[in-house]
Amino acid sequence: MKNLHALLQQRRTEGLYRSRRTVESPQGAEIVVDGKTLLNFCSNDYLGLANHPDIKKAFIAGAEKYGTGSGAAHLICGHSTAHHALEEELAEFSGYPRALLFSTGYMANLGVAQALCGRGDRVFEDRLNHASLLDAALLSGARLQRYQHNNPDDLQHKLSEAGTGEKLVMTDAVFSMDGDIAPLPQLATICQAADAWLMMDDAHGIGVLGKHGCGSAQHFGLGSTDVPVYMATLGKALGTAGAFVAGSDDLIEYLIQSARTYVYTTAMPPALAEAARASLRIACAADDRREHLQQLIRQFRAGAQQLGLQLMDSATAIQPILAGETAAATRWSQRLLEQGILVSAIRPPTVPAGTARLRITFSANHTREQVNRLLDALNQLT
Ligand SMILES: *Cc1c(COP(=O)(O)O)cnc(C)c1O
């Protein structure tokens, strides 16, 4: 048996020990953490919907109508009219023929890779993909090959050497720790030519990018023939929880038959599906929130550039500031916290060694003054 105590101690000395904060308030521009009110720049609540009154009302009404638990998996007796209506609305929202709900984005990713691929097949992934996509490939039993970040040529080269067997290409649409956007049109062309599935994970694009926030596929004008598998989550910009996969009728039916993380798990509470339906309606009509968010991003980037901070190539609500060494990122995050500002330090193994960073995220709930407060605090770091 390994010595867990010693291993934990080692993590501490390497500055890699992770610990949780206890939040005592709803999500918002300000949150109460361990009794202190902090300005929050690390949630993924991009549209500020996680505590929206109308979504809360829908959640409560859903609980009154359906109770708290779904009781069983979708294929047994857990699939309610609320789930079904949400799936139809998600398909329409994303511009795909059909959609299928999963309990989390992590499970959706595992389910797709395992259903489409197995031993003898290959999964190709961007080097900077989210951990759930990497785990999905490993669990599927297929051979995982990683291509250089946002490099379609490298992908094409690797696909050309792949031989027979299914080929599945998975990419973050908006990279979760970097904020940049995948070159989806080029990836789509390459995958079509190579007879490979292309799956995009739009956890950070849905609600934010595309007309009416419909996501990264719509942002690029791509549909189910270009990107046959579209996955997005409900717990970030949409402010609730859960995820869905959208695709052709056959893809969705096939997942219902064979995605193990769909078949062998309890359906999300129907009340949550009701909340997500309300959130979808609000997100669709929230062009004002999206515009305000874009203004905050522009304000921040202009301000940070003036201060000489090391921005990354991101036009989205994820705006990392590169620190390099783990210790620097941790120290910066600590100094901001002392000034009442919550920004998380992202360290290896979440990001490659030597690229530790502050991951700053913006929400439509933030004000221009709050962004200025952040810039002032960042200015005092260096
Ligand atoms: C958050 C996230 C997930 C996981 O979604 P959950 O619903 O939180 O399990 C998957 N992919 C990406 C890119 C994410 O950022």
Side-chain angles (χ1 to χ4, degrees), residues 118-337:
R119 219 177 281 280
D121 299 330
R122 294 185 194 221
V123 178
F124 300 84
E125 299 208 22
D126 189 290
R127 280 206 163 277
L128 299 187
N129 270 357
H130 189 262
S132 61
L133 290 168
L134 300 173
D135 292 357
L138 296 175
L139 186 72
S140 76
R143 176 163 164 211
L144 169 62
Q145 284 180 275
R146 300 168 84 180
Y147 59 90
Q148 288 163 20
H149 178 53
N150 279 350
N151 186 337
D153 293 337
D154 190 36
L155 171 63
Q156 186 165 36
H157 176 70
K158 291 194 158 69
L159 279 170
S160 73
E161 295 182 331
T164 56
E166 289 295 306
K167 298 184 270 290
L168 168 64
V169 176
M170 300 174 114
T171 183
D172 280 25
V174 175
F175 285 85
S176 57
M177 297 301 140
D178 299 72
D180 55 346
I181 300 175
L184 288 159
Q186 290 97 307
L187 297 179
T189 306
I190 289 169
C191 288
Q192 271 172 332
D195 194 29
W197 295 94
L198 175 59
M199 170 176 181
M200 73 153 97
D201 174 337
D202 205 21
H204 300 276
I206 193 166
V208 181
L209 296 179
K211 198 163 178 247
H212 305 307
C214 290
S216 301
Q218 300 222 346
H219 171 78
F220 285 111
L222 300 172
S224 76
T225 45
D226 314 293
V227 185
V229 192
Y230 176 84
M231 190 290 279
T233 66
L234 308 176
K236 288 167 179 153
L238 295 175
T240 58
F244 68 98
V245 174
S248 69
D249 196 44
D250 283 344
L251 174 74
I252 298 306
E253 280 302 321
Y254 193 76
L255 292 176
I256 292 172
Q257 310 306 315
S258 52
R260 297 173 64 83
T261 58
Y262 182 78
V263 175
Y264 297 106
T265 195
T266 302
M268 69 164 67
L272 182 56
E274 286 293 318
R277 295 179 68 198
S279 143
L280 211 53
R281 283 192 294 275
I282 291 165
C284 206
D287 284 347
D288 51 341
R289 286 174 189 257
R290 278 181 286 276
E291 180 49 37
H292 178 59
L293 180 61
Q294 290 309 320
Q295 281 175 11
L296 297 176
I297 294 165
R298 284 194 294 270
Q299 178 196 349
F300 174 76
R301 285 187 67 88
Q305 232 143 24
Q306 271 183 354
L307 298 179
L309 296 170
Q310 205 175 346
L311 286 167
M312 292 177 67
D313 181 24
S314 163
T316 68
I318 302 167
Q319 291 291 330
I321 301 275
L322 203 62
E325 291 312 309
T326 298
T330 311
R331 192 172 62 244
W332 288 358
S333 173
Q334 190 56 38
R335 295 259 304 271
L336 291 172
L337 190 61

